[in-house]
Amino acid sequence: MTPLAFAGRVGGSVGLEVPTLHGSRVRLEPLSMEHADDLARAVEEDRGSYGFTVVPHADGVKEYLEAQFERVNQGLTPFAQVRVADGRAVGCTAFWDPRTWPGREELRAIEVGWTWLAGSAQGAGINRESKLLLFTYAFETLGVARVDLKTDARNMRSRRAIEKAGAQFEGVLRSWSPSWVPGEEGLLRDSAMYSVIAQEWPTVKERLVAGL
C-alpha cells in the first residue's frame, strides 16, 4: 500500500505523519487512492446511516479522496479503516484540526472525525477499536491534553456512538459547522461537542478495551 505523504508539520496547517495503526479488528492505514475500489463498494452497501455525514456515492469516491488529500494542507490526517478479517477498506476516519500550545510546537489538542463505515462494518466493534487506536496515539504518542469529537446535533446515532466511546458531552454550538445534509448546502448546522481529556484517558481506555 502506497500511503499519502504527509508533510509532518503541525499547528493546524498540515496533516500529521502517522504510521499505520494496528488493531485486531481494524487497521488504520494512511488514506490512498489504492483504497478507492474497496471504498466504492463500501459506500453502497447500506446508506441508511449517512444522512448527516460526508459519504460519497461509488462514482464520486475518487473525487472524495482527492478532496481529503487537499484538506491535508488544512490539518487533516485521513485514514482508511481496513477490516482485518478480509483486508478490505470499509470506511474512513481522520485526525483533524491539530492545535499547538501558544508559542510552542507541541500539540495540545486534536479532533477525531470525518468518520464513516460500510453497513457490514457497523456494530462489529470496528468503530470502537478505531477510536481506541486513535485516542491511544493522540494521548500516548502525540501527548495531547484533549481529543475533540463533534457531530450534527440531530445525528443521534453518531452521538450515541461517541458517548459509548467514553467522550463527555460539552454542549451544542449553534450554527457552528457546514451542514452536510442534502438540501442544506451552504447552510450551517448546530454541532454537538464532545471531548476526552488526558486525566480521563486511563478510565476511557479501560472502558474501550472492555467493550471489545
Side-chain angles (χ1 to χ4, degrees):
M1 188 66 65
T2 302
L4 177 68
F6 299 112
R9 182 161 60 87
V10 300
S13 58
V14 178
L16 306 169
E17 187 174 356
V18 179
T20 297
L21 304 178
H22 294 270
S24 61
R25 291 174 172 80
V26 65
R27 183 171 66 247
L28 300 184
E29 298 180 354
L31 190 62
S32 154
M33 272 296 178
E34 293 185 28
H35 296 113
D37 289 345
D38 281 353
L39 294 175
R41 291 192 292 272
V43 296
E44 300 298 347
E45 286 186 6
D46 180 354
R47 299 189 60 85
S49 64
Y50 299 159
F52 299 99
T53 310
V54 186
V55 183
H57 283 277
D59 59 2
V61 163
K62 290 186 178 179
E63 290 78 6
Y64 169 83
L65 295 180
E66 289 170 355
Q68 291 296 79
F69 301 155
E70 290 177 5
R71 291 185 180 102
V72 170
N73 292 325
Q74 304 169 30
L76 188 75
T77 303
F79 301 93
Q81 300 192 76
V82 178
R83 184 164 51 200
V84 170
D86 57 10
R88 285 183 50 201
V90 291
C92 294
T93 191
F95 282 132
W96 174 236
D97 191 23
R99 284 104 68 199
T100 57
W101 292 95
R104 293 159 51 185
E105 291 296 321
E106 295 90 350
L107 280 177
R108 60 180 170 85
I110 200 164
E111 182 176 328
V112 169
W114 298 90
T115 300
W116 62 269
L117 279 170
S120 63
Q122 296 175 22
I126 288 176
N127 179 64
R128 181 180 290 268
E129 188 172 61
S130 176
K131 294 297 188 293
L132 175 62
L133 294 171
L134 292 169
F135 290 177
T136 299
Y137 193 85
F139 285 113
E140 299 180 15
T141 299
L142 299 177
V144 300
R146 170 189 170 94
V147 172
D148 313 326
L149 304 98
K150 69 177 183 288
T151 189
D152 192 306
R154 299 166 292 183
N155 190 348
M156 298 310 299
R157 182 188 183 115
S158 176
R159 292 179 65 172
R160 286 193 296 269
I162 291 171
E163 290 164 3
K164 285 181 180 179
Q168 296 295 308
F169 176 58
E170 296 183 324
V172 173
L173 297 180
R174 298 177 298 166
S175 296
W176 183 254
S177 307
S179 174
W180 301 111
V181 175
E184 295 185 1
E185 293 79 5
L187 301 180
L188 294 173
R189 74 182 194 195
D190 295 346
S191 289
M193 309 297 292
Y194 293 82
S195 71
V196 178
I197 61 174
Q199 296 93 320
E200 299 165 345
W201 169 233
T203 300
V204 171
K205 184 176 184 178
E206 288 182 3
R207 179 175 176 176
L208 286 170
V209 171
L212 292 171

